[in-house]
Structures are given as structure tokens and as C-alpha cells.
Amino acid sequence: MSELAPIGVSTYTRLEHLKKTISALQLNTLAKQSHLFIFSDAPKQGDEEKVRKVREYLHTIDGFKKVIILERKVNSRIKNNRGGIKQLLDESGQCIFMEEDVVTAPGFLDFMNKALLFYKDSENILSVTGYGLPINTQKIKTDSFVLPRFNAWGFGIWKDRFEEINYIDREEYLSFFDNKVAVKNLITGGGEDMLAMLESESKGEIDALDVKAMFHQYKNNMLTVYPKNSLVQNIGHDGSGIHCGATDKFYHDFLWDKVSDFKFDNNPKVDEKISKANYNFRKLGYKTKFKVILRRIGIYPLFKILKGIIK
């Protein structure tokens, strides 16, 4: 690998999370050969001191071929993240990106760079992720598997594929939702939890890159490459994140200790057992499904009011 993908890390105020993320990256086998870009979002009113402490720490970071720090002057989580991704892709054509709550195993950068190189010309591969689901994958013969679902917890992507991801049109989503076969295909391949996220995204209630990528992936029959065993631990499920609540559902007891010689499939196909395991892992309860339907037809707010009156 003559040119390694630049690493982008977006950060705001979670200093302790960030320290763990950087410390883990420093232990990666390719860290000293890699360029690290850190995108520090500007503070909202009241967060000035927290951001100051984060930026003070940023200037102490070493262990990489080069560390580039970009301190934003205007607060915008979306512009900080997506602007950072776009900058790296414009400069290098590929990148590895994560937020400040992604702790990686020492082989993470090797896996990501190898996969980005291996699938560079594979038009049906949208992205690569370092996160592997806590499901049984031991019968997989290669070091990776594929699913039609994007994962942003330490992901790699190419410029041409990133630029194809667009905002979700509400009318397009409504037409999709009314197609029972399409809905079944989506949740079978990606997971039932995608419906609630797509509903919120299409209404403009959230603005999440991963949700846009998931829908784009579904429409274009594209895949994401996952490691056989997880090379990432997401430490943001402690209630400190924007979109993730407190849960240990995604926690791994250990991360993969493999650091080199990762093998990939030239023509990867979705394994039915892995797909089923992913579906079961992300399965929603009946109450959540009911909420999605109510929100879809526009009476969920009324339902909540009536529920409160009945109580």
C-alpha cells in the first residue's frame, strides 16, 4: 500500500472519549505511516471551556506521520463531520473517518486500508467498516463479510461513491413505504430499525449521513464490507452521543487481535446465515413497530396525547 487513506476524527466536547479514541489509534500498526486529521467543532454557548480543553489536548497528540488540526470557527456538527469527509475525499479520493467515540483494535487501519485498496474498483461496494456485529461469524471463511447496510463507526469510503449519497426525498420515501415488497426487502437485508430512522430522516427530524447511505445502498443494491470479528468498540452508547442512547447491546467483550494478512473475497455475496443473524439482532418489538406506523400516517402525536389522558 503506497498511499494510506487519511484518517479523519471529528470531535466536540467529549474529551475523555476522544483520548481513548486517539490512544487506541496510536497503537495501530499503521499509525506512524498515516496522516491524522482532527476536525474540532466550534462551541455552542456554554461549551466554550469544554472545547478549549479539547483543543488544548489536540496539540499534544503525536504518534502519526502527521497530525493536522482544524479548529472550526462556527458550530455545526454536520458541517464539521461532512465537511471533514469531503475535504479528505477531495484531497485523497478515499478516507477513513470516525467520531470521537470509536476505540479501535491495533489491526483496524491495516484492515481498512487493505479493504479500500481491494474494493476500489468494485462499484457494488459502497463502504468499508471496522465494526463487526456481536453475532456468530466463525464459519465465515474469509476475514470479512458483506451486508447491505452502512455502518459509520469507523468507516472507509471513496470519493465517487460518497458523492452519490443524497438527501432522502419525502415523496420518494412515502412511495417506498407503500410498497410492501420493498419494505420487506429493506428490513430483511438491513434491519427493522431502519424504518424508524428513515421516517425521521425523510421528515427532516434528523440529518444523519448513515441513514442516507443505508437508503442509497438499498436502492442501488450496494454492500458494506465488515470485518469477521469487530475491530471497533463504540464507547458512545453511554448516553453522551447525539443519536445513540445508553445501551450495551453493541458492546464486545474483546476486539479482534489480528493485525495483518487480511483476506477478502473478490466477489462477495451476502451470507444468508449472517443476514438472518443481523436481522434478528436488530429486530424491533411490536410497540416500536406500531409507533413507526402511527408516525407514518401522522397520528403518533395524537396517540401520545390520548395515551396520557387514558393514564
Side-chain angles (χ1 to χ4, degrees), residues 217-236:
Q217 206 162 16
Y218 162 75
K219 292 187 298 180
N220 294 280
N221 297 313
M222 301 182 81
L223 302 168
T224 288
V225 179
Y226 287 72
K228 179 178 180 179
N229 300 303
S230 190
L231 293 162
V232 162
Q233 187 86 274
N234 186 312
I235 59 172

Side-chain angles (χ1 to χ4, degrees), residues 192-196 279 282-286 288-289 292:
E192 288 183 342
D193 58 329
M194 287 178 62
L195 289 180
Y279 174 81
R282 301 182 184 280
K283 202 168 185 179
L284 300 179
Y286 287 107
T288 304
K289 293 179 186 177
V292 173

Side-chain angles (χ1 to χ4, degrees), residues 143-294:
D143 292 326
S144 65
F145 62 88
V146 292
L147 284 172
R149 177 168 177 142
F150 182 87
N151 186 285
W153 301 342
F155 72 95
I157 198 164
W158 305 267
K159 177 180 171 66
D160 59 342
R161 270 147 278 190
F162 178 79
E163 290 179 340
E164 294 174 353
I165 301 171
N166 297 309
Y167 279 83
I168 298 174
D169 179 75
R170 179 65 178 170
E171 293 304 315
E172 180 185 22
Y173 167 73
L174 292 176
S175 176
F176 155 78
F177 195 92
D178 288 336
N179 186 327
K180 293 181 179 179
V181 174
V183 171
K184 181 180 179 180
N185 289 339
L186 174 80
I187 64 177
T188 300
E192 288 183 342
D193 58 329
M194 287 178 62
L195 289 180
M197 293 187 287
L198 285 172
E199 177 69 23
S200 295
E201 182 73 32
S202 68
K203 283 184 173 181
E205 296 171 350
I206 61 173
D207 187 354
L209 174 63
D210 53 350
V211 180
K212 295 177 181 63
M214 290 175 198
F215 196 50
H216 171 76
Q217 206 162 16
Y218 162 75
K219 292 187 298 180
N220 294 280
N221 297 313
M222 301 182 81
L223 302 168
T224 288
V225 179
Y226 287 72
K228 179 178 180 179
N229 300 303
S230 190
L231 293 162
V232 162
Q233 187 86 274
N234 186 312
I235 59 172
H237 288 101
D238 55 359
S240 65
I242 298 295
H243 294 138
C244 301
T247 179
D248 60 359
K249 179 178 180 179
F250 302 96
Y251 180 79
H252 288 278
D253 292 329
F254 62 89
L255 296 181
W256 203 5
D257 59 1
K258 185 166 185 171
V259 295
S260 62
D261 298 321
F262 292 101
K263 306 298 181 185
F264 301 98
D265 190 339
N266 281 306
N267 188 27
K269 304 291 184 183
V270 176
D271 182 279
E272 290 186 11
K273 291 183 179 179
I274 295 295
S275 181
K276 186 174 181 180
N278 173 68
Y279 174 81
N280 289 333
F281 178 78
R282 301 182 184 280
K283 202 168 185 179
L284 300 179
Y286 287 107
K287 287 184 179 179
T288 304
K289 293 179 186 177
F290 185 52
K291 288 180 182 178
V292 173
I293 295 172
L294 292 178

Side-chain angles (χ1 to χ4, degrees), residues 4-12 18 21-22 25 31 34-40 58 61 64 66-70 72 80-89 91-92 94-104 108-109 112-113 116 152-157 209 232:
L4 299 181
I7 310 160
V9 176
S10 65
T11 186
Y12 183 44
L18 176 63
T21 295
I22 297 300
L25 275 174
S34 301
H35 287 185
L36 175 66
F37 291 75
I38 306 178
F39 302 93
S40 171
L58 294 181
I61 295 172
F64 301 87
K66 193 172 183 180
V67 178
I68 302 93
I69 302 166
L70 292 97
R72 306 295 192 191
N80 189 46
N81 286 12
R82 265 166 249 173
I85 296 169
K86 186 178 185 302
Q87 176 182 329
L88 298 184
L89 292 176
E91 293 174 358
S92 302
Q94 61 177 351
C95 75
I96 298 167
F97 203 87
M98 64 188 73
E99 295 190 10
E100 62 193 359
D101 56 6
V102 173
V103 171
T104 57
F108 168 77
L109 290 178
M112 298 296 287
N113 277 285
L116 283 169
W153 301 342
F155 72 95
I157 198 164
L209 174 63
V232 162

